[in-house]
Amino acid sequence: YAWYVMLSWMPTFFRGSFDLSLEGSPLILASPFVASWLGGVLGGRASDLLVARGFRTRHVRKAMHLTGALGNGLFLQLAARSNSAASAALCISLGAFLGRLQNSGYWVNMVDVCPESAATVMGMSNTMGTIPGIVGQPITQAILTRGGGEKSATAWSIVFGIGAAVGATGALIFCAFGDDVSLDRPAGVDADHSDVVAESVGLRHSSGGRPGCRVYSPSNVA
């Protein structure tokens, strides 16, 4: 929700709050997108490093997701109350950076729990995740219309606050129910065993007869 609202309304926010035009200040408006890309890359690297050093996968996923959701909401609120375009851009950039840490949480967790059907699950998730982005547009417009227009810091605070609330709620649900145990783990694999059970490419899956590769690390789900 927050990501789609930021994508759609950031130019309006800067125009209304600071009389900033897209044509006149491309670097300021581009900085959150660069920060978002960087957050996705570094967040993935950091989470991989933590898992490699022995932290349980689900704990890393939950920490990254919760940090991203709360950090994004905090910095967007600071942006709404900023006194200058530069400080607002910095806050939005930091929020976008932290927001992308969530990709190292819920997004990659789909591969943890269902490695063989992750593509299908991701497709369904992304489809449903687009719905908040659709409904967020008229909600944002209604808030701005009734809250004083695009120049109102209070209205923007409410707009970003709704995104923060949605993100925090999703993060808390993920922290409560998220796991790292593969639902595709074959029968007979002991979760306490330390060896890695692997099926090489070319072997047939018992479910569909398609060639593929499955690697299970039981030590990671102990």
Side-chain angles (χ1 to χ4, degrees), residues 8 19 28 33 46 80 102 105 107 114 130 139 141 163 182 188 203 205-206:
S8 302
D19 292 322
I28 286 182
F33 299 98
Q102 296 174 91
W107 188 252
C114 49
T130 304
I139 290 175
Q141 183 62 70
S182 172
L203 293 180
H205 290 245
S206 59

Side-chain angles (χ1 to χ4, degrees), residues 13-100:
F13 166 72
F14 278 104
R15 182 186 66 207
S17 300
F18 308 105
D19 292 322
L20 201 67
S21 66
L22 179 62
E23 297 82 2
S25 306
L27 293 180
I28 286 182
L29 294 176
S31 59
F33 299 98
V34 176
S36 174
W37 166 79
L38 191 60
V41 173
L42 294 183
R45 293 288 187 180
S47 62
D48 286 348
L49 180 61
L50 290 172
V51 172
R53 291 195 173 185
F55 290 92
R56 180 160 179 172
T57 301
R58 73 178 182 187
H59 296 158
V60 174
R61 303 288 188 245
K62 292 177 181 181
M64 298 296 284
H65 188 90
L66 189 61
T67 300
L70 297 181
N72 178 262
L74 171 64
F75 280 104
L76 288 181
Q77 284 298 309
L78 293 176
R81 299 294 180 175
S82 294
N83 296 320
S84 68
S87 62
L90 176 61
C91 289
I92 292 179
S93 296
L94 291 172
F97 177 91
L98 291 172
R100 278 305 174 190

